[in-house]
């Protein structure tokens, strides 16, 4: 929550967040120009403002750090997936680049010895 929305009744008409800001900046609606307002904020108001801004800054900094950690994790995961994809592509290329008719490169295929898979 921002100080400007919570305590808007305490702000002069020309400050952002003031409920009367639109009236103050529209010619003819403000009895006196906002430039002529002599607003002297109290020290309590200024301390509250500084505290609010510091709190918001800390929250934004924490969100930024969290996003950086997520980004770094996702970049590492992405690199790992790219590497695995490249390995699979290399294996597929090896399987598909064998000479025509040669089935020994294919899994569970081809010739010879062992397993008795034929019809008798």
């Amino acid at each position: 929550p921002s100080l400007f929305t919570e305590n808007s009744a305490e702000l002069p008409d020309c400050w952002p967040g003031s409920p009367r800001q639109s009236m103050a900046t529209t010619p003819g609606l403000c009895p006196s120009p906002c430039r002529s307002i002599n607003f002297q904020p109290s020290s309590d108001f200024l301390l509250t403002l500084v505290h609010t801004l510091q709190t918001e800054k800390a929250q934004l900094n924490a969100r930024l750090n969290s996003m950086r950690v997520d980004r770094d994790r996702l970049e590492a995961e992405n690199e790992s997936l790219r590497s695995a994809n490249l390995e699979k592509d290399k294996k597929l290329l090896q399987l598909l680049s064998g000479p025509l008719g040669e089935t020994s490169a294919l899994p569970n295929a081809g010739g010879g010895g062992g397993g008795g898979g034929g019809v008798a």
Side-chain angles (χ1 to χ4, degrees):
S2 174
L3 178 69
F4 295 117
T5 55
E6 291 176 3
N7 300 322
S8 60
E10 298 174 16
L11 299 174
D13 292 344
C14 56
W15 274 37
S18 168
R20 296 176 301 274
Q21 178 191 12
S22 61
M23 287 178 32
T25 56
T26 305
L29 294 179
C30 188
S32 63
C34 292
R35 294 187 286 274
S36 66
I37 294 176
N38 187 11
F39 179 65
Q40 296 294 326
S42 68
S43 60
D44 288 339
F45 175 79
L46 293 175
L47 287 173
T48 304
L49 177 63
V50 168
H51 175 71
T52 300
L53 292 174
Q54 288 175 340
T55 301
E56 288 177 0
K57 180 182 175 187
Q59 290 170 346
L60 290 172
N61 192 35
R63 284 181 55 198
L64 178 62
N65 288 336
S66 174
M67 287 181 195
R68 284 180 178 160
V69 167
D70 286 346
R71 181 203 58 204
D72 293 345
R73 179 186 55 79
L74 290 170
E75 283 179 352
E77 183 180 349
N78 195 17
E79 185 58 35
S80 172
L81 291 171
R82 280 186 183 139
S83 177
N85 193 27
L86 184 61
E87 281 299 314
K88 289 177 184 178
D89 287 347
K90 286 178 183 179
K91 289 179 181 179
L92 277 173
L93 182 64
Q94 286 176 350
L95 287 172
L96 297 174
S97 66
L100 282 177
E102 182 180 307
T103 58
S104 62
L106 297 175
N108 298 327
V119 177

